Amino acid sequence: MQWRSATRITSAVDVAKFLLTLGLLAWLVGRGSEQLGYQWHWRRIPAYLLTVTDGHWHAGPLLDGLLVTLEITAISLVLAAVIGLVTALLRLSGSLVGRILAIFYLETIRNTPLLVQIFFLYFVMAPILDISRFTTAVLALAFFEGAYASEIFRSGIVAIDRGQWEAAHSLGLSRLATYRHVILPQAVRRVLPPLTSQAISLVKDSALVSTIAVYDLTMQGRVIVAETFLVFEVWFTLAAIYLLLALALSLLVRLVERRLGSHGQTAWNMP
Amino acid sequence: MEHAMNEEEPESDIIIARNLHKTFPGPVAALVDFSVTVRRGEVLVIVGPSGSGKSTFLRCLNGLEEVESGSIIVDGIPLDDNQRHRLEIRREVGMVFQSFNLFPHLDVLENVSLAQRLVRGKSRAEARGCSLELLARVGLADKAASYPAELSGGQQQRVAIARALAMMPRVMLFDEATSALDPEMIGEVLDVMRQLAEEGMTMVVVTHEMGFAREVSDRVLFMEHGRVIEEGTPGEFFNHPRRQRTREFLRQIL
């Protein structure tokens, strides 16, 4: 078959291009470090992840940091989803106050840098409200990602056919029941892919909380670098860990998606 | 065709709509001083060219659209600003849509059961029993576990009818229930509607199916530009239309 051999050639070319790019990158880094007179000490890195003494495992600072990052990410993910959903519903509600509130929140968050928001919460709000650095970090991330999540939820909700509302209305369902049993189950399934990328953004944005001395993965990395000057090794390792985290997250969502779509058919939301 | 009237009910008019007025953005009025009364157990068929206000009238009856002036009373409950009244009417009036509007993420059984549980407060088992009975009535007992996307248009519409009936409505509204169907599926839906009429259900039917109007209805109402042009028994209406405009309309569609 001609097209088959054609695709095989194309993929072979793709692999070759990929390897070439990778090689080029490695060469660039190698040459750069050589010029800098950089001494690689990769062997020292594992100890920052995990050490074994007397048959006991000890989490190194990087692993400690990873746990903090996971904790911050998980809590703010849940919070962001709640904030996002509530904001979307407020924006779509009949209440003028609700709509204005939602729009004010959205525009403020989306049009200021996350770093400024973190500093604002940390230096202005935290002393007033007497909240910890960890809580400040979680709140900042949740409010930031929640604004984007709310727009994703809203787009999913308004994409649902008007007929669904009308059918629920004619059956006597309340607005809340209609959202809960008819609209949201359909809307959430539709917006799962964009929500996932938002969640991945959250994982990556969480690195910014290191600026207020929350000992997350990035902060631990910075400390190690400051103490040991293992600049290249540590930042490469950090990048790899974030990459794995993001990939794991999208894999997880893909599994959830497949489970949700396994109700006998996958294309039920196609008109 | 005469239907058994509910004798013990003092009120024989179940729908009283008076002087309804509604306009949409644009030059054409949807309803102009529109008044109609439907008796308990009556099957009223509304016909007319598209844009004549038939569907708008139906949608006003259960609060899907708002009238600008005029009054609607359904089974003694005025459709006014009182939210409790509106909810009551929504529960008592069933509606079947042109585009079925089944809930695609729920299977057939859940489609029929959902409102019974949420609105009528039935238990899951109770609702299930009732739903299976209704599905059997519309000939779809074997499809309870299917999803809407797996059904034909005719089957979907029959599920939609079962779903509306599950609320034990006192009035059923049919908004061009067969217009979106392939010709070979229209019959099965009309059969269910005919059966329902024979059981004495009060029905207001907007349709282009003149055969159904002629055979099943008690009264036919012809409307255009939001006004009643002519109404009468199917015999009078189809055989001896009084108005010139009615004759033209019938000539075009028959």
Side-chain angles (χ1 to χ4, degrees), chain A residues 161-175 177-178 181-183 185-186 189 263-265 267-269, chain B residues 59 62-65 87 90-91 93-95 97 101-106 111 114-115 118-119 147 149-150 163-164 167:
Chain A
D161 183 53
R162 229 166 62 109
Q164 294 288 306
W165 281 102
E166 294 185 348
H169 173 100
S170 73
L171 288 169
L173 263 63
S174 67
R175 202 177 159 80
T178 305
H181 296 278
V182 178
I183 304 300
Q186 300 182 56
R189 263 178 240 194
H263 285 311
Q265 80 291 336
W268 56 260
N269 54 0
Chain B
R59 294 163 61 83
N62 69 350
L64 274 177
E65 304 264 2
L87 185 63
R90 275 164 54 193
R91 289 175 176 179
V93 177
M95 188 163 195
F97 301 87
N101 296 345
L102 291 180
F103 305 134
H105 60 300
L106 302 177
N111 261 281
L114 186 70
L118 296 179
V119 181
Y147 280 82
E150 298 163 343
R163 178 177 69 174
M167 292 300 290

Short mmCIF file of all heavy atoms in Angstrom, two decimals, chain A residues 161-175 177-178 181-183 185-186 189 263-265 267-269, chain B residues 59 62-65 87 90-91 93-95 97 101-106 111 114-115 118-119 147 149-150 163-164 167:
data_model
loop_
_atom_site.label_atom_id
_atom_site.label_comp_id
_atom_site.label_asym_id
_atom_site.label_seq_id
_atom_site.Cartn_x
_atom_site.Cartn_y
_atom_site.Cartn_z
N ASP A 161 -27.80 23.11 24.77
CA ASP A 161 -28.97 23.50 24.00
C ASP A 161 -30.09 24.03 24.90
O ASP A 161 -30.34 23.49 25.98
CB ASP A 161 -29.46 22.29 23.20
CG ASP A 161 -30.63 22.61 22.33
OD1 ASP A 161 -30.51 23.58 21.55
OD2 ASP A 161 -31.67 21.94 22.43
N ARG A 162 -30.74 25.10 24.42
CA ARG A 162 -31.85 25.71 25.17
C ARG A 162 -32.96 24.71 25.46
O ARG A 162 -33.67 24.80 26.46
CB ARG A 162 -32.42 26.87 24.34
CG ARG A 162 -32.59 28.16 25.08
CD ARG A 162 -32.81 29.26 24.09
NE ARG A 162 -34.05 29.03 23.33
CZ ARG A 162 -35.16 29.75 23.48
NH1 ARG A 162 -35.18 30.76 24.31
NH2 ARG A 162 -36.23 29.51 22.77
N GLY A 163 -33.10 23.77 24.55
CA GLY A 163 -34.15 22.75 24.72
C GLY A 163 -34.02 21.97 26.00
O GLY A 163 -35.02 21.50 26.56
N GLN A 164 -32.78 21.81 26.48
CA GLN A 164 -32.57 21.08 27.73
C GLN A 164 -33.18 21.85 28.90
O GLN A 164 -33.81 21.27 29.78
CB GLN A 164 -31.07 20.88 27.97
CG GLN A 164 -30.41 19.97 26.94
CD GLN A 164 -30.83 18.52 27.13
OE1 GLN A 164 -30.71 17.96 28.19
NE2 GLN A 164 -31.37 17.93 26.08
N TRP A 165 -32.99 23.17 28.89
CA TRP A 165 -33.61 24.03 29.92
C TRP A 165 -35.12 23.95 29.82
O TRP A 165 -35.81 23.86 30.83
CB TRP A 165 -33.17 25.48 29.73
CG TRP A 165 -31.82 25.78 30.24
CD1 TRP A 165 -30.67 25.91 29.51
CD2 TRP A 165 -31.45 26.01 31.61
NE1 TRP A 165 -29.62 26.20 30.34
CE2 TRP A 165 -30.06 26.26 31.63
CE3 TRP A 165 -32.16 26.00 32.80
CZ2 TRP A 165 -29.38 26.51 32.80
CZ3 TRP A 165 -31.47 26.26 33.97
CH2 TRP A 165 -30.09 26.51 33.96
N GLU A 166 -35.62 24.01 28.59
CA GLU A 166 -37.07 24.05 28.40
C GLU A 166 -37.71 22.74 28.84
O GLU A 166 -38.78 22.74 29.45
CB GLU A 166 -37.39 24.35 26.93
CG GLU A 166 -36.94 25.76 26.55
CD GLU A 166 -37.34 26.15 25.14
OE1 GLU A 166 -37.78 25.26 24.38
OE2 GLU A 166 -37.20 27.33 24.81
N ALA A 167 -37.04 21.62 28.52
CA ALA A 167 -37.58 20.32 28.95
C ALA A 167 -37.62 20.24 30.47
O ALA A 167 -38.63 19.84 31.05
CB ALA A 167 -36.74 19.19 28.37
N ALA A 168 -36.54 20.66 31.11
CA ALA A 168 -36.48 20.62 32.57
C ALA A 168 -37.54 21.54 33.17
O ALA A 168 -38.22 21.19 34.13
CB ALA A 168 -35.09 21.02 33.06
N HIS A 169 -37.71 22.72 32.56
CA HIS A 169 -38.72 23.68 33.00
C HIS A 169 -40.11 23.05 32.93
O HIS A 169 -40.89 23.12 33.87
CB HIS A 169 -38.64 24.92 32.10
CG HIS A 169 -39.73 25.92 32.33
ND1 HIS A 169 -39.55 27.04 33.07
CD2 HIS A 169 -41.01 25.95 31.90
CE1 HIS A 169 -40.67 27.73 33.10
NE2 HIS A 169 -41.58 27.08 32.39
N SER A 170 -40.40 22.42 31.80
CA SER A 170 -41.75 21.89 31.61
C SER A 170 -42.01 20.69 32.52
O SER A 170 -43.15 20.31 32.73
CB SER A 170 -41.98 21.50 30.14
OG SER A 170 -41.27 20.34 29.82
N LEU A 171 -40.94 20.08 33.04
CA LEU A 171 -41.13 18.97 33.97
C LEU A 171 -41.24 19.47 35.41
O LEU A 171 -41.43 18.69 36.33
CB LEU A 171 -39.96 17.99 33.88
CG LEU A 171 -39.91 17.14 32.60
CD1 LEU A 171 -38.59 16.42 32.49
CD2 LEU A 171 -41.06 16.16 32.57
N GLY A 172 -41.09 20.78 35.59
CA GLY A 172 -41.24 21.35 36.92
C GLY A 172 -39.97 21.35 37.75
O GLY A 172 -40.02 21.57 38.95
N LEU A 173 -38.83 21.08 37.12
CA LEU A 173 -37.58 21.10 37.87
C LEU A 173 -37.21 22.52 38.27
O LEU A 173 -37.40 23.45 37.49
CB LEU A 173 -36.43 20.51 37.02
CG LEU A 173 -36.08 19.04 37.24
CD1 LEU A 173 -37.25 18.16 36.88
CD2 LEU A 173 -34.87 18.66 36.42
N SER A 174 -36.67 22.67 39.47
CA SER A 174 -36.21 24.00 39.89
C SER A 174 -34.93 24.33 39.12
O SER A 174 -34.31 23.47 38.50
CB SER A 174 -35.93 24.01 41.38
OG SER A 174 -34.83 23.18 41.66
N ARG A 175 -34.54 25.61 39.21
CA ARG A 175 -33.33 26.04 38.53
C ARG A 175 -32.11 25.27 39.05
O ARG A 175 -31.26 24.80 38.29
CB ARG A 175 -33.13 27.55 38.77
CG ARG A 175 -32.27 28.22 37.75
CD ARG A 175 -32.20 29.71 38.05
NE ARG A 175 -31.02 30.29 37.42
CZ ARG A 175 -30.93 30.61 36.15
NH1 ARG A 175 -31.96 30.43 35.36
NH2 ARG A 175 -29.82 31.12 35.65
N ALA A 177 -32.07 22.30 40.53
CA ALA A 177 -32.13 20.89 40.11
C ALA A 177 -31.76 20.76 38.65
O ALA A 177 -31.10 19.79 38.24
CB ALA A 177 -33.53 20.33 40.36
N THR A 178 -32.18 21.74 37.84
CA THR A 178 -31.84 21.69 36.42
C THR A 178 -30.33 21.77 36.22
O THR A 178 -29.75 21.01 35.46
CB THR A 178 -32.54 22.85 35.67
OG1 THR A 178 -33.93 22.80 35.93
CG2 THR A 178 -32.30 22.74 34.18
N HIS A 181 -28.73 18.33 37.75
CA HIS A 181 -28.99 17.03 37.15
C HIS A 181 -28.99 17.05 35.63
O HIS A 181 -28.86 16.01 35.00
CB HIS A 181 -30.32 16.48 37.64
CG HIS A 181 -30.34 16.22 39.11
ND1 HIS A 181 -29.84 15.07 39.66
CD2 HIS A 181 -30.77 16.98 40.14
CE1 HIS A 181 -29.98 15.12 40.97
NE2 HIS A 181 -30.54 16.28 41.29
N VAL A 182 -29.19 18.22 35.04
CA VAL A 182 -29.31 18.26 33.58
C VAL A 182 -28.16 19.03 32.93
O VAL A 182 -27.45 18.50 32.06
CB VAL A 182 -30.66 18.90 33.16
CG1 VAL A 182 -30.77 18.98 31.64
CG2 VAL A 182 -31.82 18.09 33.73
N ILE A 183 -27.92 20.24 33.37
CA ILE A 183 -26.98 21.11 32.65
C ILE A 183 -25.53 20.78 33.00
O ILE A 183 -24.71 20.51 32.12
CB ILE A 183 -27.29 22.60 32.94
CG1 ILE A 183 -28.73 22.93 32.58
CG2 ILE A 183 -26.32 23.49 32.17
CD1 ILE A 183 -29.10 22.72 31.13
N PRO A 185 -23.92 18.16 34.44
CA PRO A 185 -23.29 16.90 34.02
C PRO A 185 -22.87 16.93 32.55
O PRO A 185 -21.83 16.39 32.19
CB PRO A 185 -24.40 15.87 34.24
CG PRO A 185 -25.29 16.46 35.26
CD PRO A 185 -25.24 17.95 35.05
N GLN A 186 -23.68 17.59 31.73
CA GLN A 186 -23.32 17.67 30.31
C GLN A 186 -22.20 18.69 30.08
O GLN A 186 -21.27 18.45 29.31
CB GLN A 186 -24.53 18.08 29.49
CG GLN A 186 -25.68 17.11 29.59
CD GLN A 186 -26.84 17.53 28.70
OE1 GLN A 186 -26.69 17.70 27.50
NE2 GLN A 186 -28.01 17.70 29.29
N ARG A 189 -18.59 17.56 31.28
CA ARG A 189 -17.96 16.62 30.37
C ARG A 189 -17.38 17.32 29.15
O ARG A 189 -16.34 16.96 28.65
CB ARG A 189 -18.98 15.58 29.90
CG ARG A 189 -18.88 14.32 30.73
CD ARG A 189 -19.90 13.33 30.31
NE ARG A 189 -20.77 13.04 31.43
CZ ARG A 189 -21.61 12.01 31.46
NH1 ARG A 189 -21.70 11.21 30.42
NH2 ARG A 189 -22.33 11.79 32.52
N HIS A 263 -20.55 5.23 28.65
CA HIS A 263 -21.94 4.87 28.84
C HIS A 263 -22.53 4.30 27.55
O HIS A 263 -23.55 4.77 27.08
CB HIS A 263 -22.77 6.08 29.26
CG HIS A 263 -22.56 6.46 30.68
ND1 HIS A 263 -22.62 5.56 31.70
CD2 HIS A 263 -22.28 7.65 31.25
CE1 HIS A 263 -22.40 6.18 32.84
NE2 HIS A 263 -22.18 7.44 32.60
N GLY A 264 -21.90 3.33 26.99
CA GLY A 264 -22.45 2.72 25.80
C GLY A 264 -22.12 3.48 24.53
O GLY A 264 -22.06 2.91 23.46
N GLN A 265 -21.91 4.76 24.65
CA GLN A 265 -21.59 5.53 23.45
C GLN A 265 -20.76 6.74 23.85
O GLN A 265 -20.85 7.20 24.98
CB GLN A 265 -22.85 5.97 22.71
CG GLN A 265 -23.58 7.18 23.26
CD GLN A 265 -24.23 6.91 24.59
OE1 GLN A 265 -24.54 5.79 24.92
NE2 GLN A 265 -24.44 7.96 25.35
N ALA A 267 -20.43 9.49 21.62
CA ALA A 267 -20.80 10.68 20.85
C ALA A 267 -22.17 11.20 21.22
O ALA A 267 -22.85 11.82 20.43
CB ALA A 267 -20.76 10.37 19.35
N TRP A 268 -22.59 10.97 22.50
CA TRP A 268 -23.95 11.37 22.84
C TRP A 268 -24.16 12.86 22.80
O TRP A 268 -25.25 13.33 22.61
CB TRP A 268 -24.36 10.84 24.20
CG TRP A 268 -23.46 11.22 25.34
CD1 TRP A 268 -22.50 10.44 25.91
CD2 TRP A 268 -23.43 12.45 26.05
NE1 TRP A 268 -21.88 11.11 26.91
CE2 TRP A 268 -22.41 12.34 27.02
CE3 TRP A 268 -24.14 13.64 25.96
CZ2 TRP A 268 -22.11 13.37 27.88
CZ3 TRP A 268 -23.83 14.67 26.82
CH2 TRP A 268 -22.82 14.53 27.78
N ASN A 269 -23.09 13.62 22.98
CA ASN A 269 -23.31 15.07 22.99
C ASN A 269 -23.26 15.69 21.60
O ASN A 269 -23.35 16.89 21.44
CB ASN A 269 -22.35 15.77 23.94
CG ASN A 269 -20.92 15.43 23.65
OD1 ASN A 269 -20.66 14.67 22.72
ND2 ASN A 269 -20.00 15.98 24.42
N ARG B 59 -46.24 27.82 24.32
CA ARG B 59 -45.13 28.12 25.24
C ARG B 59 -45.55 29.12 26.32
O ARG B 59 -44.97 29.13 27.40
CB ARG B 59 -43.92 28.62 24.45
CG ARG B 59 -43.34 27.53 23.53
CD ARG B 59 -42.42 28.12 22.48
NE ARG B 59 -41.29 28.79 23.08
CZ ARG B 59 -40.20 28.17 23.49
NH1 ARG B 59 -40.09 26.87 23.33
NH2 ARG B 59 -39.22 28.83 24.05
N ASN B 62 -47.29 27.28 29.56
CA ASN B 62 -46.56 26.73 30.71
C ASN B 62 -45.41 27.65 31.14
O ASN B 62 -44.48 27.23 31.81
CB ASN B 62 -46.04 25.31 30.41
CG ASN B 62 -44.94 25.30 29.38
OD1 ASN B 62 -44.67 26.30 28.75
ND2 ASN B 62 -44.30 24.16 29.23
N GLY B 63 -45.51 28.90 30.74
CA GLY B 63 -44.56 29.89 31.25
C GLY B 63 -43.20 29.89 30.58
O GLY B 63 -42.28 30.51 31.08
N LEU B 64 -43.07 29.20 29.45
CA LEU B 64 -41.79 29.26 28.73
C LEU B 64 -41.61 30.62 28.06
O LEU B 64 -40.52 31.06 27.80
CB LEU B 64 -41.69 28.15 27.68
CG LEU B 64 -41.19 26.79 28.15
CD1 LEU B 64 -41.22 25.79 27.00
CD2 LEU B 64 -39.80 26.89 28.74
N GLU B 65 -42.75 31.25 27.74
CA GLU B 65 -42.73 32.61 27.20
C GLU B 65 -43.66 33.46 28.06
O GLU B 65 -44.60 32.93 28.65
CB GLU B 65 -43.24 32.65 25.75
CG GLU B 65 -42.51 31.75 24.79
CD GLU B 65 -41.41 32.45 24.02
OE1 GLU B 65 -41.20 33.66 24.28
OE2 GLU B 65 -40.80 31.81 23.17
N LEU B 87 -44.85 27.47 39.35
CA LEU B 87 -44.29 26.14 39.55
C LEU B 87 -45.38 25.08 39.47
O LEU B 87 -45.23 24.04 38.83
CB LEU B 87 -43.57 26.08 40.91
CG LEU B 87 -42.84 24.78 41.19
CD1 LEU B 87 -41.71 24.59 40.19
CD2 LEU B 87 -42.28 24.79 42.61
N ARG B 90 -46.30 24.54 35.91
CA ARG B 90 -45.26 23.78 35.21
C ARG B 90 -45.37 22.29 35.52
O ARG B 90 -45.10 21.44 34.67
CB ARG B 90 -43.88 24.28 35.64
CG ARG B 90 -43.39 25.47 34.85
CD ARG B 90 -42.25 26.14 35.54
NE ARG B 90 -41.16 25.21 35.84
CZ ARG B 90 -40.15 25.49 36.65
NH1 ARG B 90 -40.09 26.66 37.23
NH2 ARG B 90 -39.21 24.62 36.87
N ARG B 91 -45.75 21.99 36.76
CA ARG B 91 -45.85 20.57 37.14
C ARG B 91 -47.09 19.92 36.54
O ARG B 91 -47.08 18.72 36.28
CB ARG B 91 -45.95 20.46 38.67
CG ARG B 91 -44.66 20.79 39.36
CD ARG B 91 -44.89 20.77 40.84
NE ARG B 91 -43.64 21.00 41.55
CZ ARG B 91 -43.55 21.05 42.86
NH1 ARG B 91 -44.62 20.90 43.60
NH2 ARG B 91 -42.39 21.26 43.44
N VAL B 93 -48.67 20.80 33.74
CA VAL B 93 -48.76 20.86 32.29
C VAL B 93 -47.56 20.15 31.68
O VAL B 93 -46.41 20.53 31.94
CB VAL B 93 -48.81 22.33 31.81
CG1 VAL B 93 -48.82 22.39 30.29
CG2 VAL B 93 -50.02 23.03 32.38
N GLY B 94 -47.80 19.10 30.94
CA GLY B 94 -46.71 18.38 30.28
C GLY B 94 -46.48 18.94 28.90
O GLY B 94 -47.40 19.46 28.28
N MET B 95 -45.23 18.85 28.43
CA MET B 95 -44.97 19.39 27.09
C MET B 95 -44.07 18.44 26.31
O MET B 95 -43.12 17.89 26.84
CB MET B 95 -44.32 20.76 27.19
CG MET B 95 -44.22 21.46 25.85
SD MET B 95 -43.92 23.22 26.07
CE MET B 95 -44.29 23.84 24.45
N PHE B 97 -41.78 18.39 22.81
CA PHE B 97 -41.16 19.36 21.91
C PHE B 97 -40.88 18.76 20.53
O PHE B 97 -40.73 17.55 20.39
CB PHE B 97 -39.83 19.85 22.50
CG PHE B 97 -39.96 20.50 23.84
CD1 PHE B 97 -39.93 19.75 25.00
CD2 PHE B 97 -40.13 21.87 23.94
CE1 PHE B 97 -40.05 20.35 26.24
CE2 PHE B 97 -40.25 22.49 25.18
CZ PHE B 97 -40.21 21.72 26.33
N ASN B 101 -35.74 16.90 22.98
CA ASN B 101 -35.08 17.44 24.18
C ASN B 101 -34.95 16.42 25.30
O ASN B 101 -35.11 16.74 26.47
CB ASN B 101 -35.83 18.67 24.72
CG ASN B 101 -35.80 19.82 23.73
OD1 ASN B 101 -35.01 19.80 22.80
ND2 ASN B 101 -36.65 20.79 23.94
N LEU B 102 -34.62 15.18 24.94
CA LEU B 102 -34.30 14.21 25.98
C LEU B 102 -32.96 14.60 26.59
O LEU B 102 -32.19 15.34 25.99
CB LEU B 102 -34.22 12.80 25.39
CG LEU B 102 -35.55 12.21 24.91
CD1 LEU B 102 -35.33 10.82 24.34
CD2 LEU B 102 -36.57 12.16 26.04
N PHE B 103 -32.70 14.09 27.80
CA PHE B 103 -31.43 14.38 28.45
C PHE B 103 -30.39 13.36 27.97
O PHE B 103 -30.48 12.19 28.32
CB PHE B 103 -31.59 14.33 29.97
CG PHE B 103 -32.67 15.24 30.49
CD1 PHE B 103 -33.60 14.81 31.42
CD2 PHE B 103 -32.77 16.56 30.02
CE1 PHE B 103 -34.60 15.66 31.88
CE2 PHE B 103 -33.76 17.41 30.48
CZ PHE B 103 -34.68 16.97 31.40
N PRO B 104 -29.43 13.79 27.16
CA PRO B 104 -28.56 12.83 26.48
C PRO B 104 -27.63 12.06 27.40
O PRO B 104 -27.16 10.99 27.04
CB PRO B 104 -27.76 13.69 25.50
CG PRO B 104 -27.81 15.06 26.08
CD PRO B 104 -29.12 15.18 26.79
N HIS B 105 -27.37 12.61 28.59
CA HIS B 105 -26.42 11.94 29.48
C HIS B 105 -27.10 10.92 30.38
O HIS B 105 -26.44 10.26 31.17
CB HIS B 105 -25.70 12.98 30.34
CG HIS B 105 -26.63 13.79 31.18
ND1 HIS B 105 -27.63 14.57 30.64
CD2 HIS B 105 -26.73 13.93 32.51
CE1 HIS B 105 -28.30 15.17 31.61
NE2 HIS B 105 -27.77 14.79 32.77
N LEU B 106 -28.42 10.81 30.28
CA LEU B 106 -29.15 9.85 31.11
C LEU B 106 -29.78 8.78 30.23
O LEU B 106 -30.18 9.08 29.10
CB LEU B 106 -30.26 10.57 31.88
CG LEU B 106 -29.84 11.72 32.80
CD1 LEU B 106 -31.06 12.38 33.43
CD2 LEU B 106 -28.89 11.21 33.89
N ASN B 111 -34.29 9.25 32.23
CA ASN B 111 -35.00 10.37 31.60
C ASN B 111 -36.43 10.45 32.11
O ASN B 111 -36.92 11.53 32.41
CB ASN B 111 -35.00 10.20 30.08
CG ASN B 111 -33.93 11.02 29.40
OD1 ASN B 111 -34.09 12.22 29.22
ND2 ASN B 111 -32.82 10.39 29.07
N LEU B 114 -36.36 10.94 36.35
CA LEU B 114 -35.71 12.08 37.02
C LEU B 114 -36.70 13.02 37.71
O LEU B 114 -36.60 13.28 38.91
CB LEU B 114 -34.85 12.85 36.01
CG LEU B 114 -34.00 13.97 36.61
CD1 LEU B 114 -32.89 13.41 37.45
CD2 LEU B 114 -33.44 14.88 35.52
N ALA B 115 -37.66 13.53 36.95
CA ALA B 115 -38.58 14.52 37.52
C ALA B 115 -39.51 13.90 38.56
O ALA B 115 -39.90 14.57 39.51
CB ALA B 115 -39.41 15.18 36.41
N LEU B 118 -37.29 14.07 41.62
CA LEU B 118 -36.91 15.40 42.07
C LEU B 118 -38.12 16.28 42.38
O LEU B 118 -38.09 17.08 43.30
CB LEU B 118 -36.04 16.09 41.01
CG LEU B 118 -34.70 15.43 40.73
CD1 LEU B 118 -33.96 16.20 39.66
CD2 LEU B 118 -33.87 15.37 42.00
N VAL B 119 -39.17 16.14 41.59
CA VAL B 119 -40.31 17.04 41.75
C VAL B 119 -41.42 16.39 42.54
O VAL B 119 -42.02 17.02 43.42
CB VAL B 119 -40.83 17.51 40.37
CG1 VAL B 119 -41.99 18.46 40.53
CG2 VAL B 119 -39.70 18.16 39.57
N TYR B 147 -29.49 4.70 25.73
CA TYR B 147 -29.31 6.15 25.80
C TYR B 147 -30.01 6.78 24.61
O TYR B 147 -30.15 6.14 23.56
CB TYR B 147 -27.82 6.50 25.82
CG TYR B 147 -27.24 6.32 27.19
CD1 TYR B 147 -26.84 5.07 27.64
CD2 TYR B 147 -27.16 7.40 28.06
CE1 TYR B 147 -26.34 4.90 28.92
CE2 TYR B 147 -26.67 7.23 29.34
CZ TYR B 147 -26.26 5.98 29.76
OH TYR B 147 -25.79 5.83 31.03
N ALA B 149 -29.21 8.73 22.30
CA ALA B 149 -28.51 8.71 21.02
C ALA B 149 -28.62 7.37 20.31
O ALA B 149 -28.36 7.26 19.11
CB ALA B 149 -27.05 9.08 21.22
N GLU B 150 -29.00 6.34 21.05
CA GLU B 150 -29.09 5.01 20.43
C GLU B 150 -30.48 4.74 19.86
O GLU B 150 -30.71 3.68 19.30
CB GLU B 150 -28.76 3.94 21.48
CG GLU B 150 -27.35 4.05 22.02
CD GLU B 150 -27.15 3.28 23.32
OE1 GLU B 150 -28.15 2.93 23.97
OE2 GLU B 150 -25.99 3.05 23.67
N ARG B 163 -41.90 10.60 29.40
CA ARG B 163 -41.29 11.46 30.41
C ARG B 163 -42.27 12.52 30.90
O ARG B 163 -42.38 12.78 32.10
CB ARG B 163 -40.04 12.13 29.82
CG ARG B 163 -39.35 13.07 30.77
CD ARG B 163 -38.09 13.65 30.17
NE ARG B 163 -38.37 14.57 29.07
CZ ARG B 163 -37.44 15.29 28.45
NH1 ARG B 163 -36.17 15.15 28.79
NH2 ARG B 163 -37.76 16.11 27.49
N ALA B 164 -43.01 13.12 29.96
CA ALA B 164 -43.98 14.14 30.33
C ALA B 164 -45.14 13.51 31.11
O ALA B 164 -45.61 14.06 32.10
CB ALA B 164 -44.50 14.85 29.09
N MET B 167 -45.17 12.78 35.02
CA MET B 167 -45.52 13.80 36.01
C MET B 167 -47.02 13.82 36.28
O MET B 167 -47.50 14.67 37.02
CB MET B 167 -45.07 15.18 35.54
CG MET B 167 -43.57 15.35 35.48
SD MET B 167 -42.83 15.13 37.09
CE MET B 167 -43.42 16.59 37.91
#
